[in-house]
Amino acid sequence: MKNYRRVILLLFILLFIACDKKKPPLHKENKILADSAFAPKRHVLTSEVKKELDSLLSAHRFNGTVSMSVENWEQYVFEGGYCNFTKLNPITENTHFSIASISKQFTAVLLLKLSEQGEINLTDSLARYVLDTPSVYNNINLHKLLTHTSGLGLSSEPGVAPTYHYSNKGYNFLQEVLEKTTGMPYQQYLSKTVRQLGLKNTSTARDPLPEQFASAYTRTLHDTTKVPEMPQRIERIGISIAAGGIISTAKDLHNWNYHLYSGKILSKDNIAKMTTPYAYFSHYILGEVGYGYGIMIQEKPVVAYMHTGYVRGAPSLLIYYPAHKLSVAILSNIANEAEGKKAIFNTHSQTKNILDRYLVQLQTSTSDTKN
């Protein structure tokens, strides 16, 4: 009888060990909550902040996703509304959005990678790569195009005075530089680069449309209208893929931020160059910011690297707070254009204000603790 009990006990122990080995890795992708005991201790949003975000997004009936991550560990997710108002398909973590001018940082990274490989130099003249440019463009180099200080679109001679003037045309030229240097279409070189980083859901307006693409809509008080031919229309209105034609998901954008700012794509020197403000201007949503290489830099009240994006019906904002390694993606597919861009980005800016305020308080409390 004793031997029988020992056998039963041994079998129970072996069964327990086998089941324990089958447990999934403790990562958010396996639905382990980010504010659990297994999440990164470096930074976790408090329940009070999450409630404030929930309240804001619910009150605004936000149609889109607001997602936050620390080193690819999910901290907060809000998904609301529809990616298609005809079929009433809900927005999910797999919904693909047009990210518009957030695309510019991808272009900047691709060029910086080429410079690391010795293929180009950012001081090179545009005329070296793009033939038949007007002689007045002779003073324009790649650095000036990346930082919107080329003078394109101004009445003064381009390239002479380093005045900030936002220019999609400058990034159109950078696409030509990339394609000539690599011998590939922009979308092919982008795909080759981002697939190596695990970004499986990032594509362009030239690629086949993702199944879960968020169609863009404009709306008034009484009507919602689908924007025709999205995202292909982006190139037809004179905006290149390099300037604003990338499509992605919130998860892929977090993955992008993680790889970029942890030094897994570029050297530390080039990350520093990318996030250096070469010119300052007053942004209609973000206030006083600097502009680096495809990136806007907020210096106060807390340092943030970010960029807005807007193509008709699709407002977006991508932020990275380097001190906290916090990545924030705010993506939507509907806009009331009659209210103006400031109102279109109202939810985006209020979400950012909540995080700015919280992170300042967090830094202050951490500093007080150390003292």
Side-chain angles (χ1 to χ4, degrees):
M1 188 68 177
K2 289 183 179 180
N3 290 337
Y4 176 76
R5 288 178 179 175
R6 287 173 184 172
V7 169
I8 294 296
L9 179 60
L10 180 60
L11 287 172
F12 178 78
I13 292 171
L14 290 173
L15 180 62
F16 177 82
I17 292 171
C19 290
D20 190 61
K21 285 182 179 179
K22 292 180 181 179
K23 287 182 180 179
L26 300 175
H27 194 281
K28 179 55 187 175
E29 289 182 355
N30 290 293
K31 309 304 179 186
I32 299 297
L33 292 175
D35 54 356
S36 72
F38 305 106
K41 299 302 182 184
R42 191 174 294 106
H43 168 79
V44 175
L45 297 175
T46 64
S47 58
E48 288 78 11
V49 173
K50 293 177 183 179
K51 287 178 182 177
E52 189 174 359
L53 291 168
D54 283 341
S55 177
L56 169 72
L57 298 169
S58 298
H60 286 204
R61 299 178 66 185
F62 185 68
N63 198 97
T65 183
V66 177
S67 176
M68 304 177 192
S69 171
V70 172
E71 295 184 309
N72 274 351
W73 288 75
E74 197 171 272
Q75 301 282 305
Y76 176 86
V77 174
F78 178 98
E79 292 159 351
Y82 304 105
C83 61
N84 186 300
F85 281 79
T86 303
K87 299 178 181 179
L88 298 182
N89 296 331
I91 285 173
T92 71
E93 63 182 6
N94 297 314
T95 300
H96 296 66
F97 292 84
S98 291
I99 63 171
S101 287
I102 293 173
S103 306
K104 289 181 171 68
Q105 62 186 270
F106 286 80
T107 301
V109 167
L110 295 179
L111 285 163
L112 286 167
K113 281 181 69 66
L114 289 176
S115 72
E116 289 182 354
Q117 296 162 9
E119 297 290 332
I120 64 170
N121 194 309
L122 298 187
T123 59
D124 288 342
S125 169
L126 172 63
R128 178 175 176 179
Y129 302 94
V130 182
L131 303 178
D132 302 323
T133 53
S135 58
V136 292
Y137 286 11
N138 289 343
N139 293 315
I140 297 177
N141 61 27
L142 305 187
H143 166 85
K144 292 176 181 178
L145 292 173
L146 282 165
T147 58
H148 299 294
T149 57
S150 67
L152 287 172
L154 297 176
S155 57
S156 58
E157 184 177 347
V160 176
T163 303
Y164 177 87
H165 182 73
Y166 195 83
S167 173
N168 283 321
K169 185 176 181 180
Y171 274 75
N172 295 353
F173 279 133
L174 290 172
Q175 177 166 320
E176 292 188 54
V177 173
L178 275 163
E179 292 182 337
K180 183 170 183 179
T181 304
T182 63
M184 302 180 194
Y186 181 95
Q187 69 272 19
Q188 184 180 343
Y189 187 61
L190 172 73
S191 178
K192 176 184 175 183
T193 303
V194 300
R195 293 298 178 271
Q196 294 172 351
L197 306 175
L199 277 68
K200 299 178 181 179
N201 295 304
T202 297
S203 58
T204 76
R206 290 180 178 176
D207 296 311
L209 193 65
E211 183 179 346
Q212 298 189 50
F213 176 69
S215 301
Y217 295 85
T218 57
R219 71 178 171 194
T220 64
L221 290 173
H222 309 290
D223 195 20
T224 298
T225 306
K226 186 176 180 179
V227 177
E229 300 182 83
M230 275 292 288
Q232 293 81 5
R233 72 181 295 272
I234 294 171
E235 283 197 291
R236 293 175 194 157
I237 60 175
I239 301 174
S240 65
I241 301 298
I246 292 177
I247 299 165
S248 193
T249 64
K251 274 194 171 184
D252 261 24
L253 291 174
H254 290 318
N255 202 7
W256 169 258
N257 271 348
Y258 168 65
H259 281 88
L260 174 57
Y261 296 110
S262 62
K264 298 181 186 300
I265 310 176
L266 298 174
S267 67
K268 288 184 178 180
D269 286 345
N270 270 335
I271 295 172
K273 288 178 183 178
M274 187 172 179
T275 55
T276 294
Y278 299 99
Y280 289 89
F281 71 105
S282 182
H283 189 272
Y284 61 96
I285 301 299
L286 305 173
E288 188 70 18
V289 293
Y291 204 94
Y293 290 163
I295 286 289
M296 297 175 192
I297 300 101
Q298 172 182 278
E299 297 177 333
K300 293 180 180 180
V302 59
V303 174
Y305 307 140
M306 55 197 174
H307 213 295
T308 52
Y310 187 74
V311 63
R312 193 174 187 197
S316 55
L317 175 62
L318 182 64
I319 313 171
Y320 185 77
Y321 294 95
H324 308 278
K325 300 185 178 181
L326 175 63
S327 174
V328 181
I330 309 173
L331 310 173
S332 182
N333 64 324
I334 192 166
N336 187 340
E337 294 189 329
E339 295 181 344
K341 277 193 176 181
K342 194 166 185 178
I344 288 172
F345 279 89
N346 186 30
T347 304
H348 301 64
S349 60
Q350 287 193 42
T351 299
K352 177 182 170 296
N353 290 342
I354 290 172
L355 294 173
D356 282 359
R357 185 176 68 250
Y358 166 65
L359 294 175
V360 168
Q361 293 172 350
L362 184 65
Q363 286 178 337
T364 302
S365 63
T366 302
S367 177
D368 291 344
T369 302
K370 290 181 179 178
N371 293 333

